[in-house]
Amino acid sequence: MGTRGTQGSRGSRESQEPNGAGATGRRALLGAAVLGAGGAALGLPGTASAAGTGHGRGGLKSLPVPTIIGHRGASGYRPEHTLGSYQLALDLGADIVEAGDLVPTRDGHLVCRHEPEIGGTTDVADHPEFAGRRTTKLLDGVSLTGWFTEDFTLAELKTLRAVERIPANRPHNTLYDGRWEIPTFEEVLKWQDEQTRKRGKQVWIYPELKHPTYFRELGLGLEERVARLLRRSGKDGKNAPVILQSFEPTSIQRLNQLVGNPLVVLLSSAGSRPWDFVETGDPRTVADLVTPKGLKEIASYAQGIGPSLDLIVPRDAAGRLTTPTTLVKDAHRAGLILHPYTLRNENPFLPAEFREGTDADAYGDVFGAYRAYFATGIDGVFTDHPDTGLLAREDFVNG
């Protein structure tokens, strides 16, 4: 998800990154940790249960709390949105793998890419046969120049290979540039089944629908395509191990009419507006959506929210954490779980007080950051480093 700006401020997990950091751009409840106002004692039931969002046997309540979600796989160690990254996330113990930021091809297939613009995540620039496809487009109010998935057939995209998106922060990941192709959502669903059989436990995935309004206007609506594939694979029910997410509330509302899956509304910075709101003239901002009234409305069609970490604990002008907001309490009161984004080990992505040194690829005190965020009572977190997240959860649960 590339850095975004403009009036609509397209929702993005990179919108919280410092300048230059983003490239272009359950069966056991694990002690079910719930922190009281003082951020102290562990108790039962867990936050997800307290939020009243369990979906019964095999559903959301079967996930550990706090849930560790492998952000685009184990993207701290492998180029994101590749089967290699997804596989490593499972190997490292992630409870859920965010397998799929879903964007369409020209011939209507869904593929897994961070954004439809693929100049920063594939080797397309090294393919002279595609030089003529480079173009400039207006994507959710932002002018972008590059190569876009909707201008390629699936067969053409399969000739490309994935590369590391933020090599300045993750030079070690460039070792794997060119190793993996772009996976389709169909391949991810099959991979999920294979891994579930192989590991003897249910593998969960957490795909995101990217820019649904933009693609619907191109005649490439995402929701119906996702629903069709989920139905075909028998993964369209309320207990299905597939959580669907989008930064556009109307996309989640549409999905709510098509499938029974757990649904999550992603929320960017407080002053931003979801792009579907911009398109329809809805004046509300994210700040309106995180009020008790806004959360109650979201709870009428979704089971959770995926807020930026800054909506949970704002940062001051120096980048240090301040006082937590009431969002966790308010969301739980509305019956919603919270899976905020994104924790990363590297210094530039951490609150200032947890940075150690100035190197862009050096690790800071991410365990301290986990403690601070877990103490707010969140139900889980997206992380590029699932192994670190699991250790942090172990520390948290064991007090």
Side-chain angles (χ1 to χ4, degrees):
M1 305 168 197
T3 304
R4 284 105 132 143
T6 78
Q7 57 169 333
S9 186
R10 301 177 283 143
S12 167
R13 291 214 176 87
E14 258 53 77
S15 61
Q16 310 303 315
E17 292 181 357
N19 292 335
T24 47
R26 328 198 209 153
R27 233 159 218 276
L29 271 176
L30 209 89
V34 176
L35 287 187
L42 296 174
L44 291 173
T47 49
S49 177
T53 55
H55 292 271
R57 196 174 188 86
L60 287 178
K61 275 192 174 179
S62 67
L63 292 166
V65 177
T67 308
I68 302 302
I69 305 154
H71 185 230
R72 308 174 197 160
S75 54
Y77 306 112
R78 300 288 187 272
E80 64 194 26
H81 286 313
T82 59
L83 289 180
S85 182
Y86 300 159
Q87 185 79 25
L88 183 58
L90 288 183
D91 291 344
L92 294 176
D95 303 310
I96 313 178
V97 180
E98 191 193 29
D101 282 343
L102 303 179
V103 293
T105 65
R106 189 173 69 196
D107 46 351
H109 295 275
L110 294 177
V111 295
C112 304
R113 282 294 85 193
H114 164 60
E115 285 287 340
E117 198 291 299
I118 55 174
T121 62
T122 73
D123 60 358
V124 64
D126 297 330
H127 287 251
E129 68 272 26
F130 297 135
R133 305 280 178 93
R134 191 170 188 269
T135 186
T136 299
K137 297 191 180 192
L138 198 63
L139 180 60
D140 292 5
V142 178
S143 180
L144 290 176
T145 298
W147 293 263
F148 296 80
T149 59
E150 66 267 26
D151 297 332
F152 291 77
T153 65
L154 178 59
E156 289 173 330
L157 284 178
K158 283 295 188 179
T159 68
L160 307 180
R161 293 296 179 268
V163 301
E164 172 56 38
R165 183 178 60 85
I166 46 174
N169 304 108
R170 292 168 180 167
H172 49 283
N173 284 9
T174 62
L175 172 66
Y176 306 101
D177 284 356
R179 180 170 290 270
W180 292 289
E181 62 182 31
I182 299 173
T184 68
F185 189 42
E186 289 180 274
E187 290 169 342
V188 164
L189 291 169
K190 293 177 182 176
W191 169 85
Q192 180 187 21
D193 290 339
E194 292 167 358
Q195 292 300 310
T196 295
R197 288 192 297 269
K198 176 181 176 181
R199 296 169 188 271
K201 65 177 183 177
Q202 182 61 62
V203 168
W204 282 68
I205 61 172
Y206 210 138
E208 178 190 345
L209 283 67
K210 300 304 299 278
H211 310 290
T213 294
Y214 169 80
F215 285 119
R216 185 165 294 277
E217 291 173 350
L218 294 178
L220 291 168
L222 301 179
E223 296 86 357
E224 295 80 7
R225 286 175 165 81
V226 169
R228 185 163 55 247
L229 291 174
L230 290 177
R231 283 195 295 269
R232 187 183 303 167
S233 62
K235 298 176 183 176
D236 59 335
K238 68 177 184 179
N239 291 330
V242 181
I243 306 172
L244 300 173
Q245 55 178 334
S246 176
F247 277 101
E248 296 189 15
T250 58
S251 179
I252 296 299
Q253 289 173 308
R254 182 174 280 112
L255 284 169
N256 188 45
Q257 300 300 314
L258 294 171
V259 295
N261 297 71
L263 304 174
V264 168
V265 176
L266 295 167
L267 300 167
S268 189
S269 60
S272 66
R273 289 169 69 198
W275 186 251
D276 51 337
F277 285 15
V278 175
E279 288 278 307
T280 60
D282 188 326
R284 291 178 296 168
T285 65
V286 167
D288 296 306
L289 297 181
V290 297
T291 62
K293 179 182 177 181
L295 293 167
K296 183 178 179 180
E297 179 187 332
I298 289 175
S300 71
Y301 58 84
Q303 286 65 51
I305 56 173
S308 68
L309 287 168
D310 287 352
L311 291 174
I312 305 291
V313 189
R315 301 189 195 187
D316 62 19
R320 299 176 63 88
L321 295 182
T322 61
T323 304
T325 68
T326 62
L327 181 54
V328 174
K329 178 185 69 176
D330 294 341
H332 284 168
R333 186 172 291 151
L336 296 165
I337 60 171
L338 299 93
H339 290 159
Y341 63 89
T342 305
L343 271 166
R344 300 173 166 102
N345 290 1
E346 296 94 355
N347 276 316
F349 308 112
L350 292 171
E353 64 266 44
F354 300 114
R355 297 172 194 160
E356 297 181 349
T358 59
D359 290 348
D361 63 336
Y363 288 0
D365 177 21
V366 70
F367 290 111
Y370 274 105
R371 282 195 299 273
Y373 290 117
F374 283 164
T376 66
I378 58 176
D379 302 286
V381 68
F382 286 84
T383 174
D384 290 7
H385 303 84
D387 53 337
T388 308
L390 287 166
L391 288 171
R393 180 176 68 188
E394 182 180 352
D395 293 344
F396 172 71
V397 170
N398 292 331

